[in-house]
């Protein structure tokens, strides 16, 4: 069965420092991977996706993610964190048995301190 | 903002009652998916509708049902509400066709509380 793991419940980083939010996946076949962000009392906002091609994917708000097939990881990164980046981040993978169903991780709360 | 809207924003119901949640998809999108997000968890797939027919279902009982209308708006109905149904219900729309997969765009959600 397909699954996604986000091993950190919370990540703390100082403003201006680089940030990484970790995600590992387990799928059969080639993965379609996504990152979403959720602000308080809001729905999910799409950040970026990996379908195929370059392992480094650039997305919205300066975020990027690195696909690593050998480590089955898709970590979210940003070179310089902002206080406004503080939110809940979800990694998701497309279910290969159901092309349009997303399987989400449990989420990682990012806290950027001034 | 994604252009996906949901109503109502918040809802309080009593155990055993029935509820209908509504979603309006982003213009041009032909597919809608519903997810349940319990507190502190990631969204869980309920079902998806494509061209007014159910196109996939997650591990949810039949008392969760849905509709998609010709204008691509959608409803999620839950009968015989249970306390564990308390959650944020998210609607997501996407454009599906020609073998392509497009990212899903989520609405702001409906917070359902069952007492």
């Amino acid at each position: 069965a397909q699954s996604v793991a986000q091993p950190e419940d919370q990540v703390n980083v100082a403003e201006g420092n680089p940030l990484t939010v970790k995600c590992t996946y387990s799928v059969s076949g080639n993965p379609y991977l996504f990152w979403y962000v959720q602000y308080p009392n809001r729905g999910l906002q799409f950040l970026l996706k990996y379908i195929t091609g370059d392992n480094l994917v650039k997305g919205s708000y300066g975020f990027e993610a690195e696909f690593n097939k050998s480590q089955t990881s898709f970590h979210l990164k940003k070179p310089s964190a902002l206080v406004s980046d503080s939110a809940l981040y979800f990694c998701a993978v497309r279910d290969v048995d159901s092309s349009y169903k997303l399987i989400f991780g449990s989420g990682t709360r990012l806290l950027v301190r001034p | 903002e994604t252009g996906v809207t949901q109503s109502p924003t918040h809802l309080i119901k009593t155990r055993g009652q029935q509820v209908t949640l509504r979603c309006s998809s982003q213009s041009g999108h032909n597919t809608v998916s519903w997810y349940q997000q319990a507190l502190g968890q990631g969204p869980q797939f309920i079902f998806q509708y494509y061209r007014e027919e159910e196109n996939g279902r997650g591990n949810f009982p039949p008392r969760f049902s849905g509709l998609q209308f010709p204008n691509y708006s959608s409803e999620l109905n839950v009968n015989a509400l249970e306390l564990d149904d308390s959650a944020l219900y998210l609607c997501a729309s996407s454009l599906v066709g020609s073998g392509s997969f497009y990212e899903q765009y989520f609405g702001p959600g409906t917070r359902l509380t069952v007492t």
Side-chain angles (χ1 to χ4, degrees):
Chain A
Q2 287 73 230
S3 65
V4 172
Q6 294 182 243
E8 302 156 316
D9 290 335
Q10 182 162 314
V11 170
N12 298 306
V13 65
E15 186 174 33
N17 284 358
L19 69 88
T20 299
V21 181
K22 295 179 180 178
C23 172
T24 58
Y25 65 88
S26 174
V27 299
S28 54
N30 295 321
Y32 285 18
L33 296 158
F34 303 81
W35 275 101
Y36 284 84
V37 60
Q38 186 174 37
Y39 294 97
N41 301 314
R42 302 282 293 277
L44 301 177
Q45 295 180 30
F46 170 78
L47 283 178
L48 50 80
K49 67 181 178 184
Y50 172 82
I51 304 298
T52 187
D54 198 351
N55 289 343
L56 186 62
V57 179
K58 293 189 181 298
S60 305
Y61 313 120
F63 283 93
E64 58 190 25
E66 185 173 9
F67 172 68
N68 188 316
K69 188 172 184 178
S70 63
Q71 297 186 5
T72 62
S73 67
F74 189 56
H75 300 332
L76 182 70
K77 300 181 179 184
K78 188 174 183 182
S80 179
L82 299 173
V83 172
S84 58
D85 292 331
S86 298
L88 191 55
Y89 290 80
F90 290 96
C91 180
V93 65
R94 186 193 74 166
D95 185 344
V96 296
D97 295 326
S98 171
S99 294
Y100 312 119
K101 167 186 173 183
L102 292 178
I103 299 170
F104 286 88
S106 56
T108 298
R109 186 165 301 281
L110 174 65
L111 182 60
V112 182
R113 59 185 185 276
Chain B
E1 299 299 327
T2 63
V4 180
T5 60
Q6 292 186 243
S7 62
T9 305
H10 297 88
L11 201 54
I12 300 175
K13 289 287 189 178
T14 302
R15 188 172 51 184
Q17 286 187 317
Q18 179 266 343
V19 69
T20 296
L21 309 182
R22 295 179 173 82
C23 170
S24 179
S25 298
Q26 185 165 314
S27 178
H29 285 182
N30 57 11
T31 302
V32 64
S33 302
W34 285 91
Y35 291 81
Q36 180 195 66
Q37 185 180 12
L39 198 62
Q41 298 182 22
Q44 299 289 318
F45 176 76
I46 302 175
F47 45 56
Q48 183 186 80
Y49 279 80
Y50 172 65
R51 292 183 175 176
E52 304 174 50
E53 292 193 2
E54 189 177 291
N55 188 41
R57 190 178 185 91
N59 190 26
F60 281 81
R63 61 188 184 85
F64 285 78
S65 63
L67 287 171
Q68 184 185 29
F69 301 101
N71 64 355
Y72 300 127
S73 63
S74 175
E75 289 182 354
L76 164 65
N77 299 290
V78 187
N79 294 322
L81 284 167
E82 301 177 358
L83 297 180
D84 285 348
D85 295 334
S86 296
L88 180 68
Y89 287 85
L90 297 164
C91 160
S93 74
S94 57
L95 177 62
V96 171
S98 302
S100 298
F101 179 83
Y102 295 82
E103 56 268 22
Q104 297 186 10
Y105 292 92
F106 284 81
T110 294
R111 173 75 61 188
L112 173 64
T113 302
V114 182
T115 62

